């Protein structure tokens, strides 16, 4: 009996060490788990039968050790039945601790009796020392085992950028000869993965039923050809540019087709097959074994787990064995499907599909940034990584904080009774609407309207005679351009680049002087005169957004600010941003849009999800995270207006754009233009919306009338005075609760380049509370941008006196010192910023530039390499590394960075394409101007003006799809 126990103990401890330190989903590992479990049961049985004999004559340490072994073994038997999920971890670690301590005590006493170690065997001090020594050894060994279990695993699964970006798309992924190119995706085994693997999400339901149900409704589930909009975009893309370029999309949208090789065929042959309808299942995201960079473009490696067929087996016995072993020791399963970066680097993990670029193999043109929800988050204050933001949340936030909120659950993966929602609530209202998924539509609508943004009708001012009608919407003016080259992009550029700093607008374009304002309008009884013209300023603020608003594919949906005014007679006297046909049709083209407007090489708008044809950006009008936009409206008061005017501003969102929905469901080429040509560079055809709409996943047929969600709104009332009355006196109210409203107003003006107006608004912040450093530092921003260094130094000194550690004040102070040639002092301030924000790429670039100007090339290179560790595509860093290596006479190295600089640098000549388009589209030309005013669309006679437009448009009470059968271009 004792011999059996003596054999079992080493076997149990050896298998325990293997199981704990090196958990892997392999046959040998699970064999060790089974041996350990059976051996543990056998040991407990033997101890029940022989423990009394073993303890006869044993020393106290030995008795204590065996009692602990017996106790730990009993807990181990319990764990065989309960499993070792997170809720059982306390029991598991008590089991481990009891057995380890018990073994240490037994070994200590055994060594005291062993020949050669028996000195002082019965001496209490010797016994105590031996026990202490072996317990210390056990503690060190346990700590080492924990280190081996955790640290190498986490180190090997971190997302880190390469030291230099690829020189071309041919160097991305597996290259042109790879099976998935031009997607950057790869597989660990460099081969294909069966389509069935990506269709096994239902096997996850056995343990993760809540998560599975959430995913069923998510946009991830409908990422592929079960999404009518995506389906049409790929069909159109393949019709124009062929099959292979469309793999650029499939890396993130169509795993079952792409990684199995089915995407090599024309998509119409496979889009209605089960793999074509699978979407992004559990296996897609959770099989990503490594994300190679934050450059996006599906830059990941997929793992094809060796034992996955056990989980998806149709044999109930095999499934039961798999589930039992997984329940008894979930760690191998967790290590296959939940890599450390999925928890610790969630934003970087998401970046692999939520950031894209195009290049020659896709667009037959050049490198161009597509949509990018990662960089503006990373560079902002939302994640506490950007040093120069206007606002910061109370704690750093990443993607899951908004898009995977906690939901109560008893799933196997639940922590503290909750799981991260796999509904991925965001902004896609179209899919749940056409799918008749009321719960998902309600969740998406709740998300959009949960104070993510705010609208504030903030100020009104009379239009000065000399500026009245100063802006001619049809006038084509050259845009203000940054003083440094920018990156080639179809998206907005935020705090990730110094080139995003606003360019000062001419003084004649500035907003009305603060002395002429009445603001805030809810604090003042504002009045207007009949037959007068006024400027209304509406501020839209991003409050809980972690990226630009809107995010995602910003050329693909309708997002706009609507302003309407109705007098007390029920007559609409102003309306900008009305959606035609009572919300069923297109949006007023003169509305204040939030989108990116792109054109192809012939000046046709990019409205068919054909980003690969984009050749120029007419405008990209988005709001950065933690920032604001100030929109201007020219309100003309009719001579017969009533005594009061009710003004409503609404921020509206419709996914998808009206035109794109018509195109996706019912487009046919206009036979009157059948000779029009199309190439990868342009499509001159005209379209009719009279085709036969396909069935949507919800089972109905027709063109859906998508809901318009009012994301945020605000309303104010204006008193109306007789035309001959004196102009009402301006009334500015400075309330301590309103400092952020004045700040937001100033931010919106600042980002437009209205530096005069912004300075006046920020001055109001300092007047409200002189001890608030925000007003002073924002004034410093303005003065630095103006080049008024003396004034900038003065206000920044005030800010630093209030908060000596305020990083953004130090940053703008460094800009002052650098302009004055005080390089060492400027570098000192930048180093203070880097201490607090080591991942602000612009700060590293600025410090590197100063070191370059001092000819400290090696030190400068270190700073620019720090930038590339954050973003290998950073234009400024690649440019300056080219200069630094040239300064060191390392021409070959300089040439490498020159290639990257030229690859990413914008094509300034492309803007010439926008001239004809802007002449033919005066509303879009107006929207392109940084500072502009919106006027009302022509309104119907008074008797036709409906009162209902003065209130919010209610969303549908249930998501039953409304459909039409045909339309027109």
């Amino acid at each position: 009996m004792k011999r059996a126990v003596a054999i079992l103990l080493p076997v149990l401890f050896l298998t325990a060490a293997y199981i704990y330190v090196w958990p892997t989903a392999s046959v040998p590992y699970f064999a060790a788990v089974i041996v350990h479990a059976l051996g543990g049961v056998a040991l407990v049985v033997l101890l029940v039968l022989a423990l009394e004999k073993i303890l006869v004559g044993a020393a106290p340490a030995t008795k204590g050790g065996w009692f602990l072994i017996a106790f730990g073994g009993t807990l181990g038997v319990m764990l065989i039945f309960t499993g070792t999920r997170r809720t059982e971890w306390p029991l598991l670690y008590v089991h481990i601790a009891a057995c380890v301590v018990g073994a240490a005590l037994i070994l200590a006493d055994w060594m005291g009796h062993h020949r050669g170690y028996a000195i002082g065997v019965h001496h209490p001090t010797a016994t105590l020392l031996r026990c202490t020594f072996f317990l210390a050894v056990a503690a060190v060994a346990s700590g080492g085992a924990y280190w081996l279990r955790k640290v190498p695993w986490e180190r090997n699964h971190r997302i880190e950028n390469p030291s230099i970006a690829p020189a071309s798309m041919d160097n991305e992924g597996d290259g042109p000869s790879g099976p998935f190119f031009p997607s950057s995706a790869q597989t660990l085994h460099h081969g294909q993965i069966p389509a069935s693997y990506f269709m096994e999400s239902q096997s996850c339901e056995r343990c993760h039923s809540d998560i599975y149900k959430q995913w069923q409704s998510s946009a991830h589930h409908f990422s592929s050809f079960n999404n009518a909009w995506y389906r049409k975009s790929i069909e159109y893309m393949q019709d124009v540019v062929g099959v292979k370029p469309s793999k650029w999309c499939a890396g993130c949208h169509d795993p079952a087709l792409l990684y199995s090789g089915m995407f090599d065929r024309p998509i119409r042959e496979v889009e209605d097959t089960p793999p074509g309808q699978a979407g992004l299942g559990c296996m897609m995201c959770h099989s990503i074994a490594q994300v190679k960079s934050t450059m996006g473009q599906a830059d990941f490696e997929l793992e094809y787990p060796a034992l996955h067929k056990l989980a998806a087996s149709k044999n109930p016995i095999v499934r039961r064995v798999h589930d039992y072993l997984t329940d008894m020791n979930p760690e191998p399963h967790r290590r296959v499907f939940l890599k450390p970066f999925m928890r610790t680097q969630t934003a970087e993990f998401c970046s692999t599909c939520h950031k894209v670029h195009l290049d020659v193999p896709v667009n037959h043109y050049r490198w161009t940034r597509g949509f990018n929800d990662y960089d503006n988050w990373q560079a902002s204050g939302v994640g506490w990584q950007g040093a120069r933001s206007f606002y910061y949340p109370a704690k750093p936030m990443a993607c899951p904080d908004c898009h995977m909120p906690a939901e109560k659950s008893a799933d196997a993966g639940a922590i503290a009774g909750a799981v991260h929602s796999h509904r991925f609530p965001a902004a896609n209202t179209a899919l749940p609407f056409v799918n008749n998924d009321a719960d998902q539509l309600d969740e998406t609508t709740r998300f959009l309207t949960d104070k993510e943004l705010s609208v504030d009708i903030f100020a009104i001012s009379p239009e000065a005679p000399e500026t009245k009608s100063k802006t001619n919407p049809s006038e084509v003016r050259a845009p203000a351009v940054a003083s440094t080259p920018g990156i080639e992009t179809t998206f907005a550029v935020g705090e990730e680049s110094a080139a995003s700093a606003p360019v000062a607008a001419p003084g004649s374009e500035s907003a009305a002087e603060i002395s002429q304002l009445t603001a805030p309008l809810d604090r003042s009884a504002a009045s207007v005169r009949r037959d007068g013209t006024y400027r209304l300023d509406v501020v839209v603020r991003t409050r809980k957004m972690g990226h630009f608003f809107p995010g995602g594919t910003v050329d693909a949906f309708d997002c706009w600010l609507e302003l309407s005014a109705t007098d007390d007679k029920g007559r609409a006297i102003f309306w900008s941003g009305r959606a035609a046909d009572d919300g069923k049709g297109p949006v007023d083209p003169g509305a204040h849009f939030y989108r990116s407007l792109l054109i192809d090489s012939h000046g046709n708008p990019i409205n068919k999800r054909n980003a690969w044809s984009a050749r120029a950006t007419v405008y990209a009008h988005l709001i950065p995270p933690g920032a604001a936009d100030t929109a201007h409206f020219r309100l003309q008061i009719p001579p017969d207006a009533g005594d009061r005017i009710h003004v409503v501003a609404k921020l509206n969102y419709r996914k998808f754009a009206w035109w794109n929905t018509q195109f996706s469901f019912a487009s046919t080429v206009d036979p009157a233009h059948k000779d029009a040509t199309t190439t990868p560079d342009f499509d001159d055809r005209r379209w009719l919306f009279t085709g036969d709409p396909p069935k949507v996943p919800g089972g109905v047929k027709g063109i859906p009338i998508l809901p318009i969600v009012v994301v945020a709104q605000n309303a104010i009332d204006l008193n109306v005075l007789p035309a001959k009355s004196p102009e009402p006196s301006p009334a500015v109210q400075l309330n301590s609760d309103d400092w952020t409203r004045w700040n937001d107003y100033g931010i919106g003006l600042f980002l437009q380049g209205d530096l005069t107006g912004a300075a006046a608004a920020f001055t109001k912040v300092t007047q409200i509370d002189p001890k608030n450093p925000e007003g002073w530092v924002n004034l410093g921003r303005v003065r630095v941008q103006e080049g008024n260094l003396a004034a900038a130094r003065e206000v920044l000194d005030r800010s630093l006196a209030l908060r000596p550690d305020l990083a953004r004040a130090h940053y703008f102070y460094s800009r002052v010192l650098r302009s004055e040639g005080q390089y060492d002092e400027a570098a000192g301030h930048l180093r203070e910023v880097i201490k607090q924000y080591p991942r602000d790429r612009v700060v590293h670039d600025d410090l590197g530039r100063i070191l370059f100007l001092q000819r400290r090339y090696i030190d400068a290179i270190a700073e620019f390499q720090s930038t590339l560790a954050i973003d290998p595509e950073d234009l400024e860093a690649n440019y300056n590394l080219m200069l630094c290596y040239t300064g060191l006479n390392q021409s070959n190295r300089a040439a490498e960075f020159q290639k990257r600089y030229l690859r990413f640098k914008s094509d300034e000549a492309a803007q010439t394409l926008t001239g004809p388009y802007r002449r033919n589209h005066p509303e879009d030309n107006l929207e392109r101007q940084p500072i502009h005013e919106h006027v009302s669309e022509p309104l119907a006679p008074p008797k036709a003006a409906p009162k209902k437009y003065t209130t919010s448009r209610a969303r549908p009470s249930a998501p039953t799809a409304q459909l039409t059968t045909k339309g027109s271009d």
Side-chain angles (χ1 to χ4, degrees):
M1 192 80 72
K2 288 184 177 181
R3 185 175 182 84
V5 171
I7 293 173
L8 279 173
L9 274 179
V11 170
L12 287 170
F13 275 96
L14 286 173
T15 54
Y18 173 44
I19 291 169
Y20 183 78
V21 175
W22 294 287
T24 54
S26 66
V27 172
Y29 182 85
F30 283 109
V33 171
I34 293 170
V35 168
H36 186 78
L38 295 176
V41 172
L43 178 65
V44 170
V45 171
L46 289 173
L47 289 178
V48 169
L49 298 175
L51 184 60
E52 186 176 352
K53 294 180 180 179
I54 294 173
L55 296 179
V56 172
T62 300
K63 288 181 180 180
W66 280 113
F67 274 119
L68 286 172
I69 291 287
F71 174 67
T74 303
L75 293 181
V77 173
M78 292 173 58
L79 289 168
I80 292 174
F81 294 96
T82 64
T84 58
R85 296 182 182 181
R86 188 178 294 269
T87 51
E88 277 73 43
W89 279 8
L91 193 66
L92 171 65
Y93 280 98
V94 171
H95 158 71
I96 293 173
C99 292
V100 169
V101 172
L105 293 175
I106 292 170
L107 187 60
D109 192 61
W110 178 83
M111 290 293 288
H113 289 83
H114 192 273
R115 185 178 301 172
Y117 300 93
I119 299 174
V121 61
H122 298 299
H123 196 284
T125 303
T127 301
L128 180 61
L129 289 173
R130 280 196 307 272
C131 290
T132 303
F133 172 76
F134 279 97
L135 286 173
V137 170
V140 171
S142 299
Y146 182 81
W147 189 92
L148 288 171
R149 175 185 173 94
K150 296 278 290 184
V151 176
W153 170 250
E154 292 176 353
R155 283 180 179 173
N156 292 334
H157 292 88
R158 282 195 56 78
I159 301 173
E160 295 180 351
N161 282 311
S163 59
I164 188 169
S168 74
M169 186 174 264
D170 289 351
N171 303 118
E172 297 173 4
D174 289 323
S177 62
F180 316 128
F181 187 80
S183 170
S184 296
Q186 296 174 288
T187 58
L188 283 178
H189 65 289
H190 302 292
Q192 294 181 343
I193 299 176
S196 59
Y197 175 69
F198 297 101
M199 300 164 61
E200 294 169 355
S201 296
Q202 195 166 6
S203 65
C204 304
E205 184 183 15
R206 299 199 300 271
C207 296
H208 305 287
S209 58
D210 290 338
I211 289 175
Y212 176 78
K213 182 180 179 181
Q214 294 159 5
W215 166 82
Q216 283 274 54
S217 295
S218 72
H220 280 192
H221 183 197
F222 296 95
S223 69
S224 193
F225 298 96
N226 50 1
N227 175 333
W229 289 270
Y230 178 76
R231 178 184 184 124
K232 180 64 176 182
S233 69
I234 299 301
E235 290 175 348
Y236 173 77
M237 184 177 187
Q238 290 196 357
D239 289 344
V240 177
V241 297
V243 171
K244 187 166 186 175
S246 66
K247 291 183 179 182
W248 172 72
C249 308
C252 286
H253 280 269
D254 312 293
L257 296 177
L258 180 67
Y259 302 112
S260 66
M262 294 177 68
F263 214 94
D264 292 332
R265 298 160 59 186
I267 205 60
R268 286 184 174 87
E269 296 179 11
V270 296
E271 60 188 11
D272 289 321
T273 63
Q277 299 288 307
L280 284 177
C282 308
M283 303 303 176
M284 174 58 196
C285 295
H286 286 282
S287 292
I288 294 177
Q290 191 59 267
V291 176
K292 296 174 289 181
S293 75
T294 59
M295 290 182 282
Q297 201 61 35
D299 196 14
F300 53 68
E301 291 180 330
L302 284 175
E303 180 179 9
Y304 184 42
L307 302 182
H308 81 277
K309 291 183 179 179
L310 298 178
S313 173
K314 298 188 181 301
N315 186 317
I317 297 175
V318 173
R319 290 200 305 269
R320 181 60 190 148
V321 170
H322 168 274
D323 292 353
Y324 174 74
L325 290 175
T326 299
D327 203 44
M328 188 163 66
N329 186 358
E331 188 62 23
H333 177 78
R334 186 181 295 116
R335 292 201 172 197
V336 169
F337 293 114
L338 192 65
K339 299 296 189 290
F341 54 73
M342 297 179 185
R343 287 188 176 277
T344 61
Q345 295 178 283
T346 51
E348 288 75 15
F349 175 53
C350 296
S351 76
T352 195
C353 281
H354 290 268
K355 175 182 176 181
V356 301
H357 59 265
L358 303 86
D359 212 332
V360 176
V362 179
N363 62 9
H364 300 79
Y365 174 43
R366 54 154 299 154
W367 187 94
T368 303
R369 166 68 63 223
F371 85 91
N372 180 3
D373 285 336
Y374 172 74
D375 281 332
N376 49 94
W377 167 84
Q378 189 281 320
S380 76
V382 177
W384 284 17
Q385 296 188 41
R388 297 157 291 113
S389 296
F390 293 103
Y391 293 107
Y392 291 78
K395 62 179 182 178
M397 300 179 69
C399 311
D401 292 300
C402 294
H403 298 294
M404 297 184 73
E407 288 195 18
K408 291 183 179 179
S409 172
D411 274 5
I415 298 176
V419 295
H420 286 288
S421 175
H422 283 60
R423 288 183 181 275
F424 306 107
N428 196 320
T429 52
L431 291 173
F433 184 79
V434 298
N435 292 340
N436 286 320
D437 189 337
D439 290 343
Q440 183 72 4
L441 181 59
D442 285 344
E443 178 67 16
T444 304
T445 304
R446 183 207 61 77
F447 177 84
L448 282 169
T449 57
D450 188 27
K451 299 179 180 178
E452 300 290 328
L453 297 100
S454 62
V455 173
D456 185 4
I457 307 175
F458 183 73
I460 191 170
S461 57
E463 191 167 40
E466 65 270 18
T467 62
K468 192 170 183 177
S469 302
K470 67 187 177 186
T471 305
N472 181 357
S474 64
E475 180 187 358
V476 178
R477 297 184 290 117
V481 295
S483 58
T484 57
I487 199 168
E488 180 70 17
T489 183
T490 63
F491 202 74
V493 177
E495 293 173 84
E496 64 267 28
S497 172
S500 65
V503 177
S508 60
E509 293 188 359
S510 295
E513 293 182 8
I514 291 290
S515 61
Q516 298 299 312
L517 290 183
T518 295
L521 288 179
D522 62 338
R523 304 282 188 193
S524 306
S527 299
V528 294
R529 293 189 307 173
R530 293 184 179 91
D531 209 23
T533 302
Y534 297 84
R535 178 166 170 161
L536 269 175
D537 293 332
V538 181
V539 179
V540 181
R541 156 95 179 271
T542 51
R543 294 189 174 273
K544 294 163 59 177
M545 298 286 295
H547 48 70
F548 276 112
F549 174 80
T553 52
V554 291
D555 59 311
F557 35 77
D558 291 327
C559 184
W560 74 102
L561 186 61
E562 177 184 357
L563 188 82
S564 61
T566 308
D567 67 11
D568 52 7
K569 299 176 182 178
R571 179 177 59 166
I573 64 170
F574 184 97
W575 206 337
S576 171
R578 174 166 52 177
D581 195 14
D582 197 22
K584 301 174 184 177
V587 180
D588 167 17
H592 189 71
F593 285 101
Y594 296 105
R595 65 177 178 180
S596 178
L597 177 59
L598 316 172
I599 57 174
D600 65 21
S601 64
H602 279 196
N604 301 298
I606 300 298
N607 52 15
K608 299 177 281 295
R609 297 300 302 118
N610 52 327
W612 35 271
S613 291
R615 297 295 180 266
T617 300
V618 179
Y619 65 81
H621 188 197
L622 313 176
I623 310 176
D629 174 57
T630 301
H632 312 292
F633 296 88
R634 189 189 307 159
L635 176 64
Q636 293 181 314
I637 311 301
D640 57 347
D643 294 330
R644 288 181 67 81
I645 295 175
H646 186 64
V647 183
V648 178
K650 295 189 285 187
L651 181 61
N652 295 324
Y653 183 93
R654 175 167 61 189
K655 182 142 186 179
F656 292 85
W658 179 88
W659 199 99
N660 185 252
T661 296
Q662 310 303 305
F663 175 79
S664 298
F665 282 83
S667 59
T668 60
V669 176
D670 186 350
H673 295 84
K674 62 182 179 180
D675 295 330
T677 57
T678 181
T679 74
D681 299 307
F682 62 86
D683 186 349
D684 289 340
R685 293 175 293 180
R686 295 293 176 265
W687 300 86
L688 300 176
F689 304 136
T690 56
D692 185 22
K695 286 186 177 180
V696 297
V700 292
K701 190 175 182 181
I703 306 174
I705 301 170
L706 299 179
I708 296 173
V709 176
V710 180
V711 177
Q713 63 180 319
N714 185 229
I716 57 101
D717 290 308
L718 301 172
N719 298 317
V720 181
L721 304 176
K724 294 184 179 179
S725 298
E727 190 66 60
S729 299
V732 170
Q733 299 290 330
L734 298 182
N735 188 299
S736 60
D737 295 333
D738 292 335
W739 81 263
T740 57
R741 297 174 68 188
W742 282 101
N743 203 44
D744 296 342
Y745 182 59
I747 291 168
L749 298 177
F750 176 76
L751 294 179
Q752 294 170 3
D754 182 358
L755 303 185
T756 301
F762 294 141
T763 298
K764 293 300 180 186
V765 176
T766 66
Q767 292 172 355
I768 290 172
D769 183 4
K771 294 182 180 180
N772 182 350
E774 300 298 338
W776 300 111
V777 76
N778 285 338
L779 267 174
R781 294 176 194 260
V782 175
R783 300 311 182 202
V784 167
Q785 204 62 30
E786 289 174 337
N788 188 343
L789 302 183
R793 182 190 288 269
E794 178 184 351
V795 294
L796 291 171
D797 278 334
R798 294 284 297 270
S799 179
L800 288 171
L802 293 167
R803 275 191 58 185
D805 63 341
L806 189 59
R808 46 197 180 277
H810 281 283
Y811 173 77
F812 292 111
Y813 212 103
S814 76
R815 295 280 301 275
V816 173
L817 295 170
R818 173 179 160 182
S819 297
E820 293 174 343
Q822 300 183 57
Y823 293 153
D824 288 337
E825 293 82 355
H829 282 273
L830 291 174
R831 290 191 177 96
E832 177 61 31
V833 178
I834 290 173
K835 286 180 185 178
Q836 299 179 50
Y837 296 93
R839 285 179 56 80
D840 189 312
R841 64 189 82 180
V842 171
V843 179
H844 282 291
D845 282 342
D846 277 16
L847 180 54
R849 186 64 182 176
I850 288 173
L851 296 170
F852 169 78
L853 294 173
Q854 293 177 316
R855 300 189 178 182
R856 296 168 56 184
Y857 300 131
I858 301 298
D859 293 336
I861 287 171
E863 292 301 325
F864 293 125
Q865 287 176 335
S866 295
T867 296
L868 295 189
I870 302 166
D871 178 19
E873 296 165 327
D874 185 86
L875 189 71
E876 187 78 10
N878 280 286
Y879 173 74
N880 281 288
L881 282 166
M882 173 187 73
L883 298 182
C884 287
Y885 282 110
T886 300
L888 292 172
N889 293 318
Q890 297 183 26
S891 57
N892 290 338
R893 192 70 174 148
E896 289 301 312
F897 287 102
Q898 182 184 36
K899 290 177 185 176
R900 276 72 180 175
Y901 170 68
L902 294 176
R903 183 186 184 202
F904 304 137
K905 175 180 169 294
S906 63
D907 177 7
E908 294 92 343
Q911 281 300 302
T912 59
L913 296 173
T914 68
Y917 178 88
R918 290 186 286 134
R919 279 191 289 271
N920 293 324
H921 299 82
E923 297 91 351
D924 292 331
N925 177 61
L926 177 68
E927 191 71 6
R928 173 188 170 97
Q929 312 310 317
I931 303 173
H932 59 274
E933 294 178 352
H934 293 273
V935 297
S936 176
E937 65 174 43
L939 297 175
K943 64 179 181 180
K947 281 188 177 182
K948 64 181 179 181
Y949 290 127
T950 64
T951 61
S952 303
R953 180 185 293 107
R955 63 183 179 86
S957 57
T960 303
Q962 304 176 57
L963 302 143
T964 59
T965 56
K966 61 183 180 178
S968 60
D969 191 345

